[in-house]
Amino acid sequence: LPLDLRTPENPETLLPRDVPLEARLRLDPVALRDLTLLRAPFSSPAPLPRKKAAPLPEGIVAAELTAHGTLAAPVADLALQLREFRLPESAKAPPAALDAALHFEQNRLTLSGTASVPDVTPLRFSGEIPLPLREVLRTRRLDPATPLKLQAQLPPTSAAAIPRLAPKLRFVEGQLALDATVTGSLERPVFGGEIQIRLPAIRFRDANLPGINNLTVDLRLEGDRLQVRRFTGDVSGGPFSLGGNVGLSTPANPELD
């Protein structure tokens, strides 16, 4: 990293913006539970009472960051790998894995990667977003009008692994698939794509609960709405169906219709 100490009274000249730089940071595989620094309290002569810290997820994380170019035009890559990942409330669920790659160049950030659990086809995701780094560092915020381009795809995959994610289910037969996009902007995301679920048989561990047969679900993401185009099946020989829309103009507070 280039340093110019000739004018220490002017911090802006300490790091010349037009001099080549090169950097590499690597995090060797480490257990998330060992990252205690993330939960350590700030030192204080009279620390305030604190609530008990929530347990960290389990897993092994590794990462590597490389950068070159100049401060005026940096080029950076971050490779992230997560293995044996489990949430505290899902300790008995099968471990998940994540591989992600981020690339920053010419004020644009791109993302690609996969997420998977055993016996399920990996979910592929990708995206890109403009990232004017100097402006973001100056204002400490992203412009709400920043355009988005995100995509997630799950090719048709077996639903047999669902009972390991939902312990109350004993058996699930069928397939599910996802092809979704998010465009628009941070403040006004525009959704697109489809979710398809075909489950001929669902059985519960509780023998008192009736099984569900021939569950067929077709969901359509369009604009700021999730359309329930088809939601049918039968319980103990009695058919059921559902339709409607879910408003996603404020994703954190969906509106049912």
Side-chain angles (χ1 to χ4, degrees):
L1 187 66
L3 293 175
D4 187 346
L5 302 177
R6 292 174 295 180
T7 55
E9 71 280 1
N10 188 354
E12 293 184 358
T13 65
L14 181 62
L15 298 173
R17 301 185 65 245
D18 57 350
V19 176
L21 65 88
E22 185 173 352
R24 180 184 180 188
L25 296 173
R26 186 177 69 186
L27 174 67
D28 289 330
V30 60
L32 290 174
R33 64 175 177 269
D34 292 336
L35 298 178
T36 55
L37 290 177
L38 296 178
R39 301 194 301 176
F42 292 104
S43 59
S44 171
L48 296 175
R50 298 188 306 121
K51 294 182 179 179
K52 184 178 179 180
L56 286 172
E58 294 183 5
I60 306 295
V61 62
E64 183 171 10
L65 172 67
T66 59
H68 61 277
T70 64
L71 287 179
V75 178
D77 289 278
L78 174 64
L80 178 66
Q81 192 177 78
L82 185 60
R83 295 290 183 269
E84 302 295 323
F85 180 76
R86 288 185 176 92
L87 294 172
E89 61 270 21
S90 306
K92 295 183 179 180
L98 173 73
D99 289 277
L102 293 91
H103 178 76
F104 176 80
E105 186 173 5
Q106 295 182 346
N107 286 335
R108 181 166 293 272
L109 180 67
T110 59
L111 165 71
S112 63
T114 61
S116 63
V117 295
D119 302 322
V120 176
T121 304
L123 171 74
R124 300 191 301 267
F125 56 88
S126 61
E128 61 179 83
I129 183 173
L131 185 62
L133 192 57
R134 292 190 66 194
E135 182 67 16
V136 171
L137 292 176
R138 185 183 66 84
T139 63
R140 298 184 181 181
R141 63 186 290 270
L142 280 170
D143 185 346
T146 299
L148 289 174
K149 185 179 180 182
L150 305 172
Q151 184 175 20
Q153 290 181 319
L154 178 68
T157 188
S158 171
I162 291 180
R164 287 187 286 174
L165 301 172
K168 292 185 178 181
L169 298 177
R170 177 176 60 83
F171 172 78
V172 176
E173 176 189 0
Q175 288 190 330
L176 49 105
L178 164 72
D179 187 355
T181 62
V182 183
T183 55
S185 65
L186 290 176
E187 62 181 349
R188 294 185 180 276
V190 177
F191 300 92
E194 296 181 342
I195 302 171
Q196 294 185 338
I197 302 173
R198 302 288 186 271
L199 303 179
I202 302 175
R203 298 294 181 265
F204 297 92
R205 294 192 182 279
D206 186 343
N208 295 318
L209 295 177
I212 300 175
N213 299 312
N214 301 317
L215 179 64
T216 301
V217 180
D218 288 321
L219 307 176
R220 174 70 182 173
L221 290 161
E222 190 168 310
D224 62 353
R225 304 195 74 77
L226 172 64
Q227 300 176 0
V228 183
R229 292 189 168 183
R230 186 178 183 184
F231 196 112
T232 61
D234 67 76
V235 178
S236 299
F240 65 84
S241 63
L242 176 69
N245 296 278
V246 179
L248 300 175
S249 56
T250 308
N253 296 292
E255 299 176 359
L256 301 178
D257 181 8

